[in-house]
């Protein structure tokens, strides 16, 4: 006798129940998180990947130096360098004596510089030392360029270019004055320095461009009317941010600007991205209130957007396609065309923030560093 099949309606109901159970089992974590979001326990936009405890000597009142590059996290604290992967797992640790540390990243190596003593350590991303430079004296600034070279500006305004073994490749004496800025072209083949000097009549901001390829100066510009806060090379143009606003000029041309743009309000912070776009935080005060703004301008001087902000922010951190704003409690992330993508509010004071990659952040607190991932 043939076995009777269940009616179609019952078979569909069983299949539907099976699908519901399967989805629930495989999405339990997702559903749990959504439930926590609804009751305010979890944050909609963020997932905590790892917490890295930092044991600082509280008597010294010093903060750890945290740096992210090539999906690695490097922390300098208590005369020790610790290297972590993007999951927060420690790769290596080693002792390095340093009074005032700056860390820079290159394609295959990273550099730890003691800015006071002038000792420089070059390591690969496993933590192995590949080169060392000793006793340069006080270092004003240091920056990495292409092909694993890096540039050091000494106290007497000497521009030194080193390779990854720590061998001096070339050096140039810059004009006297205070070093205001050190930056790179978008292809990392040109170094741009901003030097401020003064006499009894006016300030003189000199912008000097150095070619890594030819090992010589390829352009200079004097900006007599205002103090230059920073500059960046994009193709054959230099973007300038100064006390008056924004400007651009072509390397090797006359003193004429190719475009200029005045600023409304007081500049709070700025960054220039790899495409030559300028992002500024400004404060505009009037009789009734204070307005905080984020504005963006293209390399041609065209406004991309101008947005009023609900909070005052103190820093901009860029990664391709995203603009992060930071103060000591709140983070906001915008697209490069001004759309708010995500926000984060901490119950602890935030010391600093860096991008680990396009989706993960490194947030530095007093006693630990956290890796957060955007979960939208």
């Amino acid at each position: 006798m043939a076995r009777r099949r269940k009616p179609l309606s019952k078979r569909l109901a069983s299949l539907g129940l099976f699908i519901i159970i399967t989805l629930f089992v495989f999405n339990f974590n997702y559903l749990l998180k959504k439930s926590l979001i609804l009751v305010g326990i979890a944050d909609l936009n963020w997932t905590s990947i790892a917490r890295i405890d930092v044991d600082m000597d509280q008597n010294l009142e010093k903060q750890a130096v945290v740096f992210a590059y090539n999906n690695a996290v490097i922390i300098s604290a208590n005369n020790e360098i610790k290297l972590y992967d993007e999951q927060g797992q420690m790769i290596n640790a080693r002792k390095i004596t340093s009074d005032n540390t700056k860390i820079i990243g290159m394609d295959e190596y990273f550099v730890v510089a003691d800015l006071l003593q002038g000792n420089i350590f070059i390591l690969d991303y496993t933590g192995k030392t590949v080169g060392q430079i000793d006793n340069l004296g006080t270092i004003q600034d240091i920056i990495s360029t292409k092909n694993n070279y890096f540039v050091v500006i000494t106290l007497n305004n000497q521009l030194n270019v080193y390779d990854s073994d720590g061998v001096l490749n070339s050096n140039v004496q810059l004009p006297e004055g205070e070093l205001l800025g050190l930056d790179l072209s978008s292809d990392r083949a040109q170094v741009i320095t901003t030097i401020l000097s003064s006499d009894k009549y006016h300030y003189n901001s000199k912008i000097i461009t150095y070619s890594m390829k030819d090992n010589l100066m390829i352009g200079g510009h004097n900006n007599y009317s205002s103090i230059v806060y920073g500059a960046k090379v994009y193709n054959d143009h230099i973007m300038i941010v100064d006390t008056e606003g924004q400007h651009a000029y072509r390397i090797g041309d006359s003193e004429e600007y190719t475009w200029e743009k005045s600023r409304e309000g007081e500049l709070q912070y700025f960054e220039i991205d790899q495409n030559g776009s300028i992002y500024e935080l400004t404060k505009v005060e009037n009789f009734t209130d204070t307005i905080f703004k984020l504005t963006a301008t293209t390399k041609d001087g065209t406004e991309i957007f101008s947005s009023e902000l609900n909070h005052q922010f103190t820093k901009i951190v860029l990664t391709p396609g995203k603009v992060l704003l930071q103060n000591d409690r709140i983070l906001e992330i915008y697209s490069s065309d001004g759309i708010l993508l995500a926000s984060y509010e901490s119950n602890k004071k935030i010391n600093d923030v860096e991008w680990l990659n396009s989706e993960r952040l490194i947030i530095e607190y007093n006693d630990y560093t956290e890796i957060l991932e955007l979960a939208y």
Side-chain angles (χ1 to χ4, degrees):
M1 182 176 177
R3 185 177 179 181
R4 294 182 61 186
R5 300 182 64 183
K6 292 182 180 180
L8 179 61
S9 60
K10 288 188 176 181
R11 281 184 283 144
L12 290 175
S14 299
L15 178 61
L17 180 60
F18 174 77
I19 291 173
I20 290 172
I21 293 173
T22 302
L23 289 174
F24 181 81
V25 171
F26 283 96
N27 290 277
F28 177 76
N29 289 335
Y30 174 82
L31 294 171
L32 177 61
K33 182 178 180 182
K34 289 296 184 184
S35 301
L36 294 175
I37 289 168
L38 290 175
V39 297
I41 297 175
D43 191 294
L44 175 62
N45 295 317
W46 304 89
T47 299
S48 180
I49 301 299
R51 168 175 164 154
I52 302 170
D53 291 324
V54 179
D55 183 21
M56 292 298 297
D57 187 342
Q58 301 300 321
N59 295 323
L60 297 178
E61 297 183 352
K62 293 176 65 176
Q63 295 181 4
V65 176
V66 180
F67 180 77
Y69 198 83
N70 273 0
N71 284 321
V73 181
I74 304 159
I75 299 179
S76 173
N78 295 330
N79 292 319
E80 187 174 40
I81 295 293
K82 292 184 178 180
L83 181 65
Y84 299 84
D85 65 17
E86 62 180 333
Q87 301 298 328
Q89 299 297 313
M90 191 168 73
I91 299 171
N92 204 342
R94 58 158 298 169
K95 292 289 184 180
I96 291 181
T97 302
S98 178
D99 296 319
N100 187 358
T101 302
K102 182 172 182 179
I103 304 172
I104 60 171
M106 299 182 288
D107 294 336
E108 299 176 48
Y109 311 102
F110 67 94
V111 173
V112 181
D114 181 340
L115 300 182
L116 293 182
Q117 303 299 322
N119 299 320
I120 296 175
F121 305 90
I122 307 161
L123 302 93
D124 64 19
Y125 286 96
T126 68
K128 178 184 176 182
T129 301
V130 298
Q132 186 168 330
I133 304 167
D134 296 318
N135 302 320
L136 283 180
T138 301
I139 295 172
Q140 294 196 72
D141 208 351
I142 182 171
I143 194 169
S144 62
T145 66
K146 65 187 307 184
N147 299 326
N148 292 311
Y149 283 82
F150 60 96
V151 171
V152 174
I153 308 292
T154 63
L155 185 61
N156 63 349
N157 281 3
Q158 186 89 6
L159 185 153
N160 296 337
V161 181
Y162 295 94
D163 65 18
S164 57
D165 294 322
V167 176
L168 181 64
N169 183 262
S170 62
N171 62 342
V172 173
Q173 182 62 52
L174 299 173
E176 291 184 1
E178 179 185 354
L179 179 70
L180 292 182
L182 177 64
D183 216 320
L184 295 172
S185 58
S186 55
D187 61 1
R188 304 174 72 84
Q190 297 171 15
V191 179
I192 182 169
T193 60
T194 307
I195 307 290
L196 177 67
S197 59
S198 63
D199 57 32
K200 60 182 178 181
Y201 298 109
H202 57 243
Y203 287 104
N204 182 8
S205 297
K206 296 184 176 71
I207 300 172
I208 299 165
T209 310
Y210 177 83
S211 170
M212 292 291 296
K213 177 182 178 182
D214 302 316
N215 291 326
L216 51 80
M217 299 294 183
I218 60 173
H221 187 83
N222 288 320
N223 186 329
Y224 293 98
S225 60
S226 58
I227 298 175
V228 173
Y229 294 131
K232 193 178 187 76
V233 179
Y234 182 78
N235 292 340
D236 59 347
H237 276 76
I238 293 184
M239 313 296 151
I240 300 171
V241 176
D242 63 20
T243 52
E244 303 299 323
Q246 303 167 5
H247 318 277
Y249 74 91
R250 190 183 300 274
I251 297 174
D253 278 3
S254 66
E255 299 291 304
E256 296 296 324
Y257 293 121
T258 56
W259 61 264
E260 7 183 3
K261 181 181 176 65
S262 60
R263 177 185 302 111
E264 179 189 11
E266 176 188 342
L267 179 66
Q268 304 281 286
Y269 199 91
F270 79 94
E271 285 288 354
I272 307 175
D273 72 10
Q274 76 281 2
N275 297 316
S277 298
I278 302 171
Y279 296 85
E280 288 191 349
L281 290 171
T282 56
K283 180 173 69 173
V284 181
E285 295 183 299
N286 52 42
F287 292 108
T288 58
D289 59 2
T290 301
I291 300 172
F292 300 104
K293 285 186 175 183
L294 171 65
T295 60
T297 307
T298 68
K299 61 182 177 59
D300 302 315
T302 303
E303 184 177 281
I304 303 172
F305 67 87
S306 179
S307 300
E308 291 189 11
L309 304 170
N310 294 324
H311 310 281
Q312 182 177 14
F313 292 96
T314 56
K315 186 178 181 181
I316 300 172
V317 190
L318 301 177
T319 197
K322 295 187 178 76
V323 182
L324 183 147
L325 307 183
Q326 175 205 340
N327 62 27
D328 62 359
R329 295 286 179 179
I330 299 172
L331 308 177
E332 288 186 352
I333 297 177
Y334 292 81
S335 65
S336 54
D337 54 0
I339 298 172
L340 180 63
L341 301 176
S343 61
Y344 179 79
E345 186 166 356
S346 173
N347 58 8
K348 297 190 65 175
K349 182 179 181 295
I350 298 172
N351 292 332
D352 203 6
V353 177
E354 287 197 57
W355 289 99
L356 178 57
N357 54 45
S358 62
E359 300 299 330
R360 290 188 180 183
L361 295 176
I362 307 296
I363 302 183
E364 180 187 349
Y365 302 101
N366 281 336
D367 52 354
Y368 69 93
T369 294
E370 187 172 22
I371 301 176
L372 285 184
E373 183 173 76
L374 286 165
Y376 60 82

